[in-house]
Amino acid sequence: MYDHDRLTTPFHSHATATEVLDGADLAGRRAVVTGGASGIGTETVRALTSAGAEVTVAIRDPASAEATVRALDALPGPGSVRSAPLDLADLGSVEAFARAWRGPLDILVANAGIMAVPERRVSDQGWELHLATNHLGHFALATALHPHLRAAGSARVVAVSSGAHRAAAFDFEDPQFERRPYDRWTAYAQSKTADVLLAVGARRWASDGITANALNPGWISTNLQRHLDDETLRAMGAIDEKGDIIPQPYYKEPAQGAATSVLLAASPLLEGVTGRYFEDNQEARLAEDSDPRPGGVAAHALDPRAADRLWEYAARTVAAARG
């Protein structure tokens, strides 16, 4: 059970990111949004910028996002948008991004990710690709940027997880699928559990004025599903025989999916809150393994001992890759 009252907000499940930040003044605040040039990342950037923040879109290929970044930078208001190269699956790229950062950092949104890669693939460091991109790369980025987050005085880290985390705890015995059979959904679920555990483990930064929380954005049709073929999407009930999306009441548009991200990143309602998991703009209920209802957060993702163990594992893994 929670040792605190679940936090609730006045925002409904399909509120947009702009609605969540209505009236917010982020002038002078600086943010990094990984994967901010598509899907909910773009809408996260749009809302933060419209509220006045200076946002850096961290993306593997900034040239491919040039038009998007220009359009976001042209939004009315005092906010601004720039892009910078960042490949989360490449530790050298992560460290180059961090070395180039100057000054305080108020908001880090760990938004970029991959899902359901059909076959086991590894990064240049030999890390399984879901774990490399969704967790280890973001862990390396957050820890490298820690001095800049601390310098902000009241910084927030936001980890975009998924309801899929309920399907798999973190396997400390074989996290890279070196011995157990590779399964793309287990790999994805494990990496998303790791994202929640990152937020829990970051409680060690509370004395530095840094809070961290995780979220499930909901079901949104974005480029994240690029590895899913039509047969898989039909089996999931996402599309019909013609390939058309089957509307569901829980589906969201990207601007709605980004709402919980910006709630955690900038809403005054989250001031001082850390180590929690949100969905539909509310703190999620604790879900037992046998709970058939969608949503909720698994106990294995909030376990502080697992969070500390994962933090130590990630720190060792990143240090070993540096040589």
Side-chain angles (χ1 to χ4, degrees):
M1 296 293 290
Y2 285 132
D3 60 1
H4 60 264
D5 293 332
R6 280 171 55 196
L7 190 152
T8 60
T9 80
F11 304 109
H12 61 82
S13 63
H14 283 56
T16 67
T18 301
E19 290 170 342
V20 167
L21 290 189
D22 183 37
D25 181 7
L26 301 183
R29 304 288 296 277
R30 305 174 74 210
V32 169
V33 179
T34 67
S38 65
I40 65 171
T42 296
E43 297 306 322
T44 300
V45 174
R46 188 188 311 279
L48 294 174
T49 304
S50 295
E54 174 191 314
V55 184
T56 297
V57 174
I59 184 173
R60 282 187 301 173
D61 182 12
S64 68
E66 186 176 347
T68 299
V69 170
R70 280 203 309 267
L72 291 168
D73 191 46
L75 291 170
S80 63
V81 183
R82 60 182 286 269
S83 64
L86 173 68
D87 182 350
L88 288 160
D90 179 350
L91 184 59
S93 174
V94 172
E95 295 188 333
F97 180 95
R99 284 195 303 271
W101 189 265
R102 296 291 182 269
L105 174 61
D106 300 278
I107 299 165
L108 172 60
V109 183
N111 168 81
I114 59 170
M115 180 176 75
V117 177
E119 68 287 335
R120 182 180 183 270
R121 294 169 55 191
V122 298
S123 69
D124 288 345
Q125 283 74 43
W127 303 339
E128 188 278 318
L129 204 57
H130 290 91
L131 194 59
T133 305
N134 297 349
H135 177 66
L136 290 172
H138 279 127
F139 175 86
L141 180 66
T143 51
L145 290 173
H146 173 256
H148 304 282
L149 292 163
R150 181 177 57 211
S154 180
R156 299 188 188 186
V157 176
V158 179
V160 179
S161 181
S162 165
H165 84 274
R166 285 184 55 184
F170 193 86
D171 188 334
F172 288 98
E173 301 307 314
D174 188 15
Q176 307 281 358
F177 291 85
E178 294 169 311
R179 295 179 298 280
R180 56 179 166 152
Y182 174 78
D183 178 83
R184 62 178 177 172
W185 291 112
T186 302
Y188 177 66
Q190 174 186 250
S191 73
K192 289 303 176 179
T193 286
D195 287 340
V196 187
L197 291 172
L198 172 63
V200 177
R203 68 190 184 285
R204 69 195 61 213
W205 290 348
S207 61
D208 294 326
I210 302 167
T211 59
N213 293 285
L215 70 117
N216 169 20
W219 181 276
I220 305 102
S221 181
T222 70
N223 194 41
L224 184 64
Q225 289 93 36
R226 63 187 177 276
H227 293 295
L228 302 184
D229 57 29
D230 285 357
E231 182 180 353
T232 301
L233 290 170
R234 287 191 187 96
M236 295 170 64
I239 63 174
D240 61 23
E241 289 303 317
K242 296 180 180 179
D244 297 326
I245 292 176
I246 301 173
Q248 301 287 353
Y250 53 83
Y251 284 3
K252 297 182 181 183
E253 296 297 324
Q256 297 167 327
T260 310
S261 292
V262 300
L263 175 79
L264 304 188
S267 171
L269 297 173
L270 271 291
E271 189 67 37
V273 173
T274 195
R276 305 193 194 185
Y277 175 91
F278 291 73
E279 61 189 4
D280 292 337
N281 300 310
Q282 314 294 332
E283 186 173 5
R285 76 181 192 284
L286 190 63
E288 301 295 336
D289 290 343
S290 59
D291 189 343
R293 295 173 294 170
V297 59
H300 65 242
L302 294 178
D303 183 349
R305 289 173 298 181
D308 290 343
R309 188 178 178 187
L310 178 59
W311 194 284
E312 293 167 4
Y313 167 78
R316 289 196 310 270
T317 301
V318 169
R322 291 192 183 108

